[in-house]
Amino acid sequence: MSLAEADIAFAKELFSALPDITTRRMFGGMGIYADGVIFALMRSDAQILIKSQDSAFDAKLSGMGAQKWTYTRKNGAESSMPYWTLPDAAVDDPDLATALAREALALLR
């Protein structure tokens, strides 16, 4: 499954208040960048994930109902990535989505 143009347009619009938003297709999904820094992904199922490598931000996202991206390796071991699902409230609220993206970017720079 790969992303539809409408999915890509949705992500760009959701984060349009950020400077220099660009996207790059990868692995059936895409990376979402602001000023050249990747801060989010959109998986091939069109779910948006926001990057976090900070325990306080992880806790905030978890408190908002986000879930950490985990997967099972071929050997059965569970692994996780430094990405969290975008909270449902943020999917429908560009101001909240942008605020979370700004917070993620501040921690990534």
Side-chain angles (χ1 to χ4, degrees), residues 10-21:
F10 173 78
K12 286 181 176 180
E13 179 65 27
L14 185 65
F15 297 112
S16 65
L18 295 171
D20 192 29
I21 290 292

Side-chain angles (χ1 to χ4, degrees), residues 3 8 11-12 21-34 37-43 49 83:
L3 294 174
I8 296 167
K12 286 181 176 180
I21 290 292
T22 56
T23 61
R24 181 173 157 203
R25 288 182 181 262
M26 55 178 68
F27 309 113
M30 70 177 182
I32 306 170
Y33 301 77
V37 177
I38 189 167
F39 69 91
L41 298 174
M42 181 178 265
R43 295 190 316 203
L49 301 122
Y83 289 90

Side-chain angles (χ1 to χ4, degrees), residues 71-93:
Y71 64 96
T72 304
R73 294 178 177 265
K74 288 181 183 179
N75 66 5
E78 192 167 292
S79 291
S80 63
M81 299 291 288
Y83 289 90
W84 291 74
T85 57
L86 190 64
D88 290 341
V91 173
D92 297 323
D93 183 347

Side-chain angles (χ1 to χ4, degrees), residues 50-109:
I50 195 152
K51 191 170 188 176
S52 175
Q53 297 176 313
D54 178 86
S55 60
F57 191 45
D58 289 354
K60 178 177 182 172
L61 291 169
S62 179
M64 296 175 75
Q67 295 184 3
K68 190 158 190 176
W69 182 13
T70 60
Y71 64 96
T72 304
R73 294 178 177 265
K74 288 181 183 179
N75 66 5
E78 192 167 292
S79 291
S80 63
M81 299 291 288
Y83 289 90
W84 291 74
T85 57
L86 190 64
D88 290 341
V91 173
D92 297 323
D93 183 347
D95 292 333
L96 179 55
T98 298
L100 291 171
R102 287 185 199 285
E103 193 168 346
L105 284 161
L107 295 166
L108 293 167
R109 292 185 173 142

